[in-house]
Amino acid sequence: MKKECAIVQDLLVLYEDDVLKEESREMVEEHIRGCEDCMHVYENASKELPRIEDVPEPSEKEKEEAADQVMKKTARRITSKTVGVLLLAVLIASITVVLGNNICDRITDTGWGLSGIFALSTEDVSVEELYVLKNGELYCRLESKKGIGISQIADWVTPEGKMFESTDDAVKEIRFRGKTPWEWEPTDQGFRANYFIFALSRSGVDEEGTAIYQKCKEISFYGKTKKDKLTIWEKGQKVKEAPEEVEKEAVRMYIENGENAKALRECEEMGWKDYEKIFEEAGGGVYVDDVAFEAGGESVVKW
């Protein structure tokens, strides 16, 4: 565009409003007569815009189609934003759970992750019964002030490197956890007592056929940490002999745990002739370890 054309086109609005001086007005008119481009700009600028009432009203179908397009665009925007927010929330929740589990495991030493904060302490638990059975194993009843949701037994915890070797230093560790908020049910408040039979020794062979003899030196209940400890029994401790009703309960527990041979020997030692009837009322499978320890080497638990 020529410089003179640019000046003239800028003056067209003032020319239309008739506010130019005479010399400027004559200059614009003279230029427009001889310049086809500027004449075209002047003619288009002089056309009147259509009045609002002259614009045709859109049909109902056109209105519906326009509204539908707006709704689809809005839905796409909302959907993408919602999905993004949900994915971010899931990511944050996952990171929180992983970090929370790791931190709680380090602090509580229970292996229960976030639910470990609901582990019962030694202040909540007491040893109400502790007897020695005819076969030398220990019968124990633990009671809790709070409902027990899960009972954890770390059975035959041996010194490092002694898992499949003979040792006299094995221990048994027990922990209780209450119901967590996400497990809570109005009709199930958890148990307030738990029954155990602890085997204090076991024997077996490893994969190469070498004989293994392991003995337990201590049974303890732990709260949230190793320092929160309640010793139930330790080597050399004197324990009362079990009364007949406890021996009967022990037989039922053996049968429920699948240790039928041990239950039969216990019945025979007690002189009970109706053991066949007892066997008909209960059953179970025999526990099999990686090492071929004799049946009865593990602890038996009953709620």
Side-chain angles (χ1 to χ4, degrees):
M1 179 186 293
K2 296 180 181 180
K3 184 176 181 181
E4 186 178 351
C5 291
I7 294 172
V8 170
Q9 291 180 17
D10 287 341
L11 294 174
L12 285 178
V13 175
L14 298 176
Y15 176 81
E16 280 293 308
D17 292 339
D18 197 20
V19 294
L20 291 177
K21 292 182 178 181
E22 185 66 25
E23 294 179 357
S24 298
R25 180 180 181 82
E26 290 177 355
M27 186 269 292
V28 170
E29 290 176 346
E30 183 179 351
H31 178 84
I32 290 175
R33 292 190 190 100
C35 180
E36 187 177 344
D37 291 338
C38 290
M39 176 61 75
H40 180 70
V41 172
Y42 171 70
E43 289 176 348
N44 285 335
S46 302
K47 291 180 180 179
E48 292 185 5
L49 294 174
R51 293 178 298 175
I52 295 177
E53 56 268 22
D54 294 337
V55 176
E57 180 74 16
S59 65
E60 290 298 323
K61 183 178 180 180
E62 290 174 335
K63 291 180 181 179
E64 291 178 1
E65 290 177 350
D68 186 54
Q69 290 297 322
V70 172
M71 291 299 294
K72 286 181 179 178
K73 290 181 180 178
T74 304
R76 282 197 296 269
R77 290 173 184 169
I78 294 175
T79 300
S80 60
K81 289 181 180 179
T82 303
V83 171
V85 171
L86 288 176
L87 289 176
L88 180 61
V90 170
L91 178 61
I92 293 174
S94 300
I95 293 174
T96 301
V97 170
V98 172
L99 291 178
N101 281 336
N102 186 270
I103 292 172
C104 285
D105 280 342
R106 290 178 180 273
I107 295 176
T108 65
D109 192 33
T110 61
W112 283 333
L114 287 170
S115 60
I117 60 179
F118 297 95
L120 304 186
S121 70
T122 54
E123 296 179 355
D124 301 319
V125 177
S126 60
V127 181
E128 296 300 319
E129 288 184 307
L130 184 63
Y131 296 108
V132 59
L133 300 171
K134 284 285 187 180
N135 59 10
E137 295 185 349
L138 295 182
Y139 174 94
C140 175
R141 175 168 63 91
L142 297 180
E143 289 197 357
S144 172
K145 297 176 183 177
K146 299 179 181 179
I148 304 171
I150 290 179
S151 174
Q152 181 190 65
I153 304 177
D155 218 356
W156 293 100
V157 180
T158 57
E160 187 174 356
K162 292 283 187 178
M163 182 178 293
F164 301 129
E165 297 181 13
S166 296
T167 180
D168 293 335
D169 296 323
V171 298
K172 296 174 185 284
E173 300 177 0
I174 307 169
R175 288 182 174 87
F176 292 158
R177 176 170 68 72
K179 290 279 188 179
T180 60
W182 51 88
E183 295 173 324
W184 188 84
E185 298 178 14
T187 57
D188 184 6
Q189 303 296 322
F191 299 89
R192 294 304 176 96
N194 208 347
Y195 300 82
F196 302 87
I197 296 179
F198 297 109
L200 301 181
S201 63
R202 65 178 183 174
S203 61
V205 293
D206 60 17
E207 294 180 352
E208 298 177 353
T210 304
I212 300 174
Y213 300 95
Q214 295 183 346
K215 292 183 180 180
C216 180
K217 71 171 184 178
E218 181 183 294
I219 304 171
S220 299
F221 175 87
Y222 288 91
K224 290 182 172 65
T225 65
K226 285 286 188 179
K227 293 182 179 179
D228 187 14
K229 176 181 176 181
L230 171 64
T231 300
I232 298 172
W233 173 88
E234 56 186 351
K235 187 177 180 180
Q237 179 178 339
K238 292 184 178 180
V239 182
K240 293 181 180 179
E241 292 184 0
E244 184 172 328
E245 60 270 18
V246 171
E247 293 282 4
K248 287 183 178 180
E249 178 61 25
V251 169
R252 283 190 288 270
M253 290 175 65
Y254 285 139
I255 295 172
E256 290 176 1
N257 196 56
E259 298 182 319
N260 296 335
K262 186 179 290 187
L264 178 59
R265 288 198 301 270
E266 196 73 8
C267 288
E268 291 174 344
E269 289 183 19
M270 293 299 295
W272 296 329
K273 304 296 185 180
D274 58 346
Y275 62 84
E276 291 185 359
K277 181 180 179 181
I278 298 175
F279 274 51
E280 290 176 358
E281 297 174 352
V286 178
Y287 184 89
V288 179
D289 201 342
D290 293 332
V291 176
F293 287 106
E294 293 178 352
E298 305 300 323
S299 297
V300 182
V301 186
K302 182 179 181 181
W303 296 97

